[in-house]
Amino acid sequence: MRLLASAPSAGATWLSGTLLVAAVLALGLLITGPALRRRHPVAWWFCVGFPLVCLRVASTWRPLMAGCGLAVSRKPALTLVSGLVGNGTAPPQPRVPRRSGIRPTPGGFWFRVRLLPGQVPEDFVKAAPAMAHDWGVHAVRVAVWKPGVVRISASAADPLKNPRIPRQRGTGRLLTVVVGVLEAGTAWVIDLRRIPHWLIVGATRSGKSTLINALVAGLAPQPVALIGIDCKGGMELSLYGPRLSALATNRAEAVKVLAALVGETQERMALCRAHRVRNIWGLADGVRPVPIVVIVDEIAELFLIAGRGEKDEAQAAATSLVRLAQLGAALGVFLIVAGQRVGSDLGPGVTALRAQLGGRICHRVADPGTAEMTLGDLNPDALLAAQAIAPEDAGTAVLASADGWERARSHLLSEQEAESIAAEYAHLTPRLPGITDAAGGITVHLERLDPSE
């Protein structure tokens, strides 16, 4: 009898102890929660935020799908009798799309949903704002995972307001640069080997120059040649002078440099043909020529025509850029074209060039036509997101490619930092005699590389 009496007592003691520990933990989280969220947001999210949002998603999934018109009645014919399914019988629950388990990310979560017959991904895209409101998160994005399945990802807060941008350590992978942070909270990486040519647009103080600073700072420590074309007298790109193999500061110089680059691609083409490879990456290390990254700042200055005498120069520049974009990816020549505005009024060459620039980055722009020209042919949702960028969101951009689109924010790198980084790695500047001579300019830092000449 004593043993039987002691068993409930031990169970009650264990239960009360468990409740006490749970109460202490809950009280501790309540007290330290705000400080933990402020100082260690990722830890707070995994410990507190993610479990709570999982409960919200699980409890609201069925009514949310029904409210958004994404639930399907199990017996559609019963609707013809005003919902009377039987005497005293509850109506059957509608079918809702089946979802997978919820998986956390450093700043949100994601899961997959299998579509019901007759549903398309656009139905879930329209319901994304309702999902964000019901779950109390910053934004919900819907993307196609595979036919019949969509991936729903959510950001608990806007990671672009106070981004924790990971710094790139060392030189990293060749032609790959970490320039900022994506809306998903991961690093924004520009990989020129994957997407070789980029178009970057943005109004004054929108963050375009900051992004170029971050790109040059990331490429400077790498064994690549940087060539600048800045038809505003070199006001922007001259900061990187010590690290540039050539710099064209007006359209006449730009035409010569671009023509020399086209000639360089012809030589590389012959080299690949002689070694029976399809691109320079198939060549041996001792034979492979140095990759070249061409940065064109303010494309409008290169294409605008003030008189009849400038028409031939503008056309020659456009033709060379299009040829480089068509041939450059396989031959190690990459284009980064930037400008405040891009439009068909600059001439047919702009439209032809845009078609070859697979990566697009749109900051806040002054006219809707530029955003349309940059993103309209890739994704209408990306275009709407770019047009919604506010003036106070400097550095925020929408990047798009054939793979999809993302909101992102570039790392704030000052002109002084970019200038010092260019000077620090000046000794890595490759000598490209034909292109340097075509520029007719900055070669002082190159002479130190070959004192015998």
Side-chain angles (χ1 to χ4, degrees):
M1 293 294 292
R2 289 180 181 177
L3 293 176
L4 292 174
S6 63
S9 176
T13 303
W14 179 86
L15 180 60
S16 61
T18 303
L19 292 175
L20 179 62
V21 171
V24 170
L25 289 176
L27 182 62
L29 286 175
L30 184 63
I31 296 174
T32 63
L36 181 65
R37 186 174 189 176
R38 184 172 59 255
R39 296 180 182 178
H40 305 284
V42 176
W44 178 90
W45 168 248
F46 282 113
C47 293
V48 181
F50 178 68
L52 292 177
V53 84
C54 285
L55 293 175
R56 279 203 297 267
V57 173
S59 62
T60 63
W61 182 250
R62 180 174 292 276
L64 177 62
M65 292 296 98
C68 294
L70 297 175
V72 177
S73 174
R74 295 181 185 275
K75 298 180 180 180
L78 296 179
T79 59
L80 298 177
V81 290
S82 302
L84 299 177
V85 289
N87 187 14
T89 308
Q93 290 290 327
R95 289 179 60 196
V96 298
R98 190 174 59 186
R99 60 175 178 82
S100 67
I102 305 174
R103 302 183 184 183
T105 63
F109 61 90
W110 67 274
F111 57 88
R112 293 187 294 269
V113 177
R114 179 169 294 279
L115 278 60
L116 295 175
Q119 292 181 340
V120 293
E122 287 73 17
D123 297 334
F124 286 82
V125 173
K126 294 177 182 177
M131 297 180 195
H133 283 289
D134 273 23
W135 300 336
V137 296
H138 167 67
V140 171
R141 291 275 302 277
V142 179
V144 177
W145 181 266
K146 65 179 183 179
V149 179
V150 294
R151 183 182 190 270
I152 296 180
S153 55
S155 301
D158 188 357
L160 305 185
K161 289 294 183 183
N162 298 296
R164 293 174 174 264
I165 301 171
R167 296 279 188 155
Q168 187 171 4
R169 297 180 178 179
T171 58
R173 184 169 176 266
L174 183 64
L175 296 168
T176 300
V177 182
V178 177
V179 296
V181 65
L182 298 175
E183 189 177 32
T186 56
W188 176 9
V189 179
I190 291 183
D191 185 353
L192 295 178
R193 290 285 300 274
R194 190 172 66 88
I195 303 178
H197 309 306
W198 288 83
L199 174 63
I200 304 173
V201 301
T204 303
R205 298 186 179 278
S206 65
K208 173 175 60 68
S209 298
T210 300
L211 176 58
I212 295 176
N213 287 346
L215 267 171
V216 174
L219 291 170
Q222 301 185 24
V224 301
L226 301 177
I227 294 178
I229 296 177
D230 183 0
C231 292
K232 294 191 298 183
M235 290 191 302
E236 296 287 341
L237 299 185
S238 61
L239 293 174
Y240 323 120
R243 188 58 182 85
L244 297 178
S245 294
L247 175 63
T249 59
N250 56 57
R251 184 155 50 194
E253 291 179 358
V255 171
K256 294 179 182 178
V257 169
L258 291 172
L261 284 167
V262 172
E264 175 71 16
T265 59
Q266 300 295 328
E267 295 179 7
R268 296 185 177 199
M269 201 180 300
L271 181 65
C272 292
R273 188 167 58 248
H275 287 79
R276 303 179 66 82
V277 295
R278 294 185 175 182
N279 53 59
I280 67 166
W281 310 111
L283 297 171
D285 291 343
V287 181
R288 184 187 305 122
V290 62
I292 300 174
V293 180
V294 184
I295 304 172
V296 182
D297 191 62
E298 201 47 69
I299 187 67
E301 291 294 326
L302 197 60
F303 280 30
L304 279 175
I305 301 173
R308 296 184 60 182
E310 298 179 349
K311 183 177 181 180
D312 292 341
E313 278 187 348
Q315 186 173 356
T319 302
S320 295
L321 279 173
V322 172
R323 293 190 67 187
L324 290 174
Q326 291 174 337
L327 303 173
L331 301 173
V333 179
F334 307 92
L335 295 181
I336 298 173
V337 179
Q340 294 187 32
R341 52 178 293 272
V342 177
S344 57
D345 59 312
L346 299 180
V350 173
T351 304
L353 177 62
R354 182 199 63 166
Q356 300 294 329
L357 304 178
R360 314 283 178 80
I361 300 174
C362 184
H363 297 80
R364 179 183 57 82
V365 292
D367 63 298
T370 296
E372 175 71 32
M373 187 76 169
T374 306
L375 303 173
D377 61 326
L378 288 181
N379 194 302
D381 293 332
L383 175 60
L384 294 175
Q387 291 173 339
I389 298 176
E392 60 270 16
D393 294 334
T396 301
V398 172
L399 58 141
S401 65
D403 299 333
W405 68 277
E406 283 275 4
R407 286 179 75 243
R409 187 173 183 177
S410 57
H411 170 53
L412 179 59
L413 190 73
S414 67
E415 295 178 354
Q416 292 77 14
E417 290 176 305
E419 191 172 5
S420 64
I421 291 173
E424 179 182 356
Y425 295 102
H427 63 283
L428 297 179
T429 305
R431 183 176 178 83
L432 304 173
I435 300 171
T436 301
D437 295 340
I442 304 171
T443 59
V444 176
H445 62 283
L446 297 176
E447 293 174 1
R448 296 200 304 269
L449 300 178
D450 194 356
S452 63
E453 294 187 5

